[in-house]
Amino acid sequence: MKRVLIAEDNDSNYILMTYILKNRYEFERAVDGQQAVDMVMTGRFDLVLMDIKMPKMDGLEATKLIKEKNPEMPVIALTANAFESDRQMAIEAGCVEFLTKPISSQRCLAAIAQFVGE
């Protein structure tokens, strides 16, 4: 089963993501950008769902560091910031997709499947 790292500091958003992913993927949680970077460097993940606004290190910086060490790792931005400029910054940081909250389960699963399969 494919493994997804959910980088999300908000408990309710994390719970929603677990509900969406629970029957199709294994997952773990990082509560800030630094923890996400550390977990990707030491664990085995097939994809990262990256919140952008997080404590210690934001998702954009975390994505840049992950992509420096692991350029093949697909990182999907998952954020409440829905402006085109936010999408552009996420893509420039290395995100392969940009999803806005609130996320639909269908949209989320389709995006993940596009990069790692089901």
Side-chain angles (χ1 to χ4, degrees):
M1 189 176 283
K2 301 289 185 174
R3 292 177 42 83
V4 175
L5 177 62
I6 304 169
E8 174 61 67
D9 62 314
N10 181 286
D11 289 340
S12 59
N13 289 337
Y14 173 72
I15 290 167
L16 173 62
M17 294 311 303
T18 65
Y19 176 77
I20 291 171
L21 301 180
K22 68 181 175 183
N23 294 321
R24 297 188 182 179
Y25 302 98
E26 292 179 5
F27 50 84
E28 287 188 53
R29 180 185 190 184
V31 296
D32 61 57
Q34 183 61 59
Q35 187 179 28
V37 172
D38 294 344
M39 289 176 75
V40 168
M41 297 309 155
T42 60
R44 186 193 67 75
F45 295 96
D46 298 294
L47 181 134
V48 178
L49 288 172
M50 183 72 74
D51 184 24
I52 299 303
K53 297 243 189 255
M54 289 187 293
K56 292 189 182 174
M57 178 188 297
D58 70 30
L60 296 177
E61 185 63 28
T63 298
K64 288 176 189 172
L65 291 173
I66 288 168
K67 297 298 273 189
E68 281 177 14
K69 303 283 187 196
N70 192 346
E72 302 303 311
M73 175 65 65
V75 178
I76 296 177
L78 188 58
T79 182
N81 300 342
F83 295 108
E84 178 60 26
S85 59
D86 297 311
R87 187 189 75 73
Q88 190 59 43
M89 286 190 301
I91 300 303
E92 287 172 5
C95 293
V96 295
E97 180 66 83
F98 182 83
L99 303 176
T100 57
K101 298 174 187 173
I103 185 71
S104 79
S105 58
Q106 261 187 317
R107 178 74 180 103
C108 183
L109 291 172
I112 294 170
Q114 178 182 351
F115 297 100
V116 300
E118 293 199 34

